[in-house]
Amino acid sequence: MRRGERSSCPSPPCDTIERSGFNPRLSRREPSVAEHPSDTSDSRCDLLLSGGATITMDDERRILEPGAVAVTGDRISAVGSPTDLGHLSAARTIDCRGSAVIPGFVSAHDHLFQNAARGWGEGVDFRVWLPDFMFPLALNMTRDEAVAAVTMTIVEQVRTGTTAVLDHHYAGTDVETTLAVAEAVERVGMRGAIGRGLGREQPYPPSEQFDMMTAAIDARPAGSKVEVWPAPGDIIYNDQDFVAASVQLARDKGVGWHTHCSQYKTDPDVYLAEHGIRPVLWLHEAGLLGPDGHFAHMIFLDDEEVARAGECNAAIAYCPISHGVFGLGTMRLAELRAAGAIIGLGYDGAVAGFRNDMFEQMKMAVMIQRLKAMDPTLSGPAEALELATREGARFMGIDAGVLAPGKLADIAVVSLQGAHMTPRPAPVAAVAYSARSSDVQLTIVGGEVVFENGACTRVDEVEVRAEAEAAAERLIERLDLDLSVLRRA
Ligand SMILES: [Zn+2]
């Protein structure tokens, strides 16, 4: 069902919710190249990416081989063949022959601070891991440790071509730490939103949590390069009134909101027993399913919940590596997309998968669907790349994810020349199946090169790594873990 035609979703339609962040009028709308005809009348541009296999992800899914992308300011100003754009005088031209030029990746769900726990708790059941390890770790983290971990994660993510992130941050949710984390994301050069954790695991009474939330959003209001959003921890384990109040605050402030839902096999039954309704059906009834809600996981949905999520164009983060690491289950990807849900791909923290690598996520996104259905015709590299780029941007409500004039210049350049690509498959399969993080040559956010020549351009990576290492060591030492259960893999 297309947005606007839905009839049974009580959630307010997109257009009635004022969101000034991330170009809300474009939020959830199908991107359209026709709105941004190629403007090559100006003979100058700031940056020209020329000669690469240019995978536009536009409505026709055009691949220009060779292609060229011109960037002026923070936007793409022209896309075409190198000949089409040959008249442009660029302040800088980058020769992309032998590489793919693609829209930057979007991580639709993350816990950036969890870098500090990489390797810990491998092979432990999720409902033990979370309360007995991750919550104590999060609540013990100092501001400096959180910033060190988050900075390290963002460095890793721009190295894999990621240009935007939706973080769920519940380690140090005081206003100063929340803002310091947002600042860390922006310092490395990425855009996104920090979903600040709210809920019963937080060490503040509810009214204080909302006061702090308000102050944090006001400091980074809608429209900031990195916004702050309310993020109740999990629909299953928070009071309905508390969740509804969190959403109301988001709506009052014109920002999105983020939460977890139906991630673990018993979650819907736990919710049903306590509230007499399945969680996604309650979200629907309460008008919270769309368009400003951003949900992590939603693995365990029955047929009616899939239909409601689709009708409301619910934005759902699919985290295939995390789902595999914790043995959680497999999202009903094809059914949700067919129904109308908007699916992005998320890393869900470095502890869930040991590394932030969108190429690994894309491949696994397809493979676990095929394994579950025992059907190799399901999904494929084109869908994987779509989820990681175009749909990820739609999920976030950012005007990116497509290489077309007028779009934000969030771009990655990926080498197609490794031994693992010789002979080379078609460009989309080469990127979605063969490539890996170390093939990323260039990451551009809003027209600014934030990664090139093997290094981040805005931070000293040697320093960032030393700080992240030292901070994680201090934190783990303080935790006094039960090493019979939680050891380092
Ligand atoms: Zn998560």
Side-chain angles (χ1 to χ4, degrees):
M1 178 179 283
R2 291 171 59 85
R3 194 170 62 75
E5 290 173 6
R6 60 186 170 195
S7 53
S8 60
C9 177
S11 297
C14 303
D15 300 336
T16 66
I17 292 183
E18 282 297 319
R19 285 198 60 223
S20 58
F22 297 142
N23 297 291
R25 290 179 305 283
L26 294 156
S27 174
R28 309 293 168 79
R29 194 175 62 178
E30 281 288 351
S32 170
V33 177
E35 294 170 36
H36 304 290
S38 216
D39 177 10
T40 55
S41 54
D42 192 337
S43 60
R44 290 161 301 165
C45 67
D46 296 327
L47 180 64
L48 186 64
L49 305 169
S50 186
T54 303
I55 304 174
T56 64
M57 300 307 293
D58 66 10
D59 294 350
E60 294 81 37
R61 301 298 190 270
R62 285 183 307 151
I63 297 169
L64 308 171
E65 196 173 14
V69 179
V71 174
T72 303
D74 66 348
R75 301 267 165 176
I76 294 170
S77 49
V79 176
S81 71
T83 311
D84 293 340
L85 275 54
H87 67 288
L88 291 175
S89 159
R92 182 181 180 195
T93 299
I94 298 175
D95 183 356
C96 296
R97 285 176 296 176
S99 303
V101 180
I102 63 173
F105 298 129
V106 176
S107 174
H109 174 64
D110 233 307
H111 303 286
L112 299 171
F113 74 89
Q114 289 183 6
N115 171 283
R118 196 194 304 257
W120 288 95
E122 152 64 12
V124 176
D125 186 87
F126 181 71
R127 287 282 173 224
V128 174
W129 178 87
L130 189 64
D132 293 356
F133 174 56
M134 190 42 67
F135 282 157
L137 178 138
L139 294 173
N140 271 284
M141 217 166 187
T142 66
R143 187 174 310 151
D144 288 351
E145 288 163 356
V147 167
V150 167
T151 307
M152 186 67 242
T153 310
I154 297 297
V155 163
E156 188 188 1
Q157 292 191 356
V158 298
R159 295 180 72 92
T160 187
T162 309
T163 51
V165 63
L166 175 51
D167 186 33
H168 192 292
H169 176 77
Y170 56 88
T173 55
D174 59 281
V175 176
E176 293 73 17
T177 302
T178 304
L179 297 178
V181 164
E183 172 59 31
V185 173
E186 191 164 331
R187 184 163 79 94
V188 186
M190 203 184 284
R191 75 173 80 249
I194 305 301
R196 174 183 169 274
L198 288 165
R200 59 180 58 167
E201 69 275 6
Q202 290 300 324
Y204 310 103
S207 64
E208 207 175 313
Q209 291 191 40
F210 284 110
D211 289 346
M212 293 160 82
M213 191 77 246
T214 303
I217 297 172
D218 287 346
R220 279 192 170 263
S224 303
K225 187 170 181 185
V226 180
E227 296 183 351
V228 177
W229 294 1
D234 195 320
I235 292 298
I236 310 301
Y237 300 98
N238 277 291
D239 298 338
Q240 292 178 340
D241 290 348
F242 186 87
V243 172
S246 306
V247 178
Q248 192 52 54
L249 177 58
R251 290 180 177 171
D252 290 346
K253 297 289 181 184
V255 296
W257 67 283
H258 188 32
T259 190
H260 295 77
C261 184
S262 296
Q263 172 179 14
Y264 193 71
K265 58 195 170 192
T266 55
D267 282 356
D269 290 337
V270 167
Y271 200 82
L272 188 61
E274 189 169 345
H275 300 285
I277 186 169
R278 289 179 66 91
V280 176
L281 298 184
W282 173 72
L283 286 166
H284 179 256
E285 268 191 21
L288 308 181
L289 251 188
D292 49 351
H294 298 73
F295 305 94
H297 310 303
M298 284 198 172
I299 299 171
F300 298 97
L301 272 54
D302 69 10
D303 291 348
E304 195 186 348
E305 289 179 306
V306 168
R308 298 290 91 79
E311 277 166 25
C312 295
N313 304 139
I316 308 172
Y318 173 27
C319 308
I321 302 284
S322 168
H323 296 173
V325 163
F326 288 107
L328 294 173
T330 308
M331 172 193 266
R332 299 174 68 177
L333 177 67
E335 291 149 297
L336 280 163
R337 292 197 78 200
I342 298 163
I343 313 288
L345 292 182
Y347 297 114
D348 200 12
V351 75
F354 286 55
R355 72 174 191 251
N356 291 282
D357 182 337
M358 192 54 86
F359 300 91
E360 186 177 57
Q361 297 286 346
M362 285 193 286
K363 199 167 183 177
M364 191 62 85
V366 174
M367 299 311 157
I368 65 175
Q369 295 293 325
R370 290 181 175 180
L371 275 169
K372 185 188 177 195
M374 294 187 287
D375 180 357
T377 68
L378 271 186
S379 194
E383 180 171 42
L385 189 59
E386 193 171 280
L387 299 182
T389 58
R390 180 181 166 116
E391 291 302 287
R394 245 181 114 206
F395 170 101
M396 284 286 284
I398 51 177
D399 192 18
V402 175
L403 301 182
K407 295 288 179 188
L408 284 167
D410 291 3
I411 302 169
V413 178
V414 184
S415 170
L416 300 179
Q417 298 193 81
H420 51 295
M421 289 197 230
T422 309
R424 200 203 79 187
V428 169
V431 170
Y433 278 6
S434 302
R436 53 194 178 206
S437 283
S438 50
D439 295 319
V440 172
Q441 299 167 305
L442 203 67
T443 305
I444 298 167
V445 181
E448 180 185 353
V449 175
V450 298
F451 172 77
E452 71 175 323
N453 300 323
C456 290
T457 59
R458 283 168 149 242
V459 290
D460 179 340
E461 286 191 43
V462 174
E463 218 169 80
V464 170
R465 282 155 84 151
E467 281 170 12
E469 193 89 57
E473 212 169 287
R474 281 199 307 273
L475 174 63
I476 296 289
E477 252 180 43
R478 274 206 314 280
L479 285 180
D480 193 21
L481 296 170
D482 177 358
L483 294 178
S484 66
V485 181
L486 292 154
R487 52 193 177 275
R488 186 169 213 172

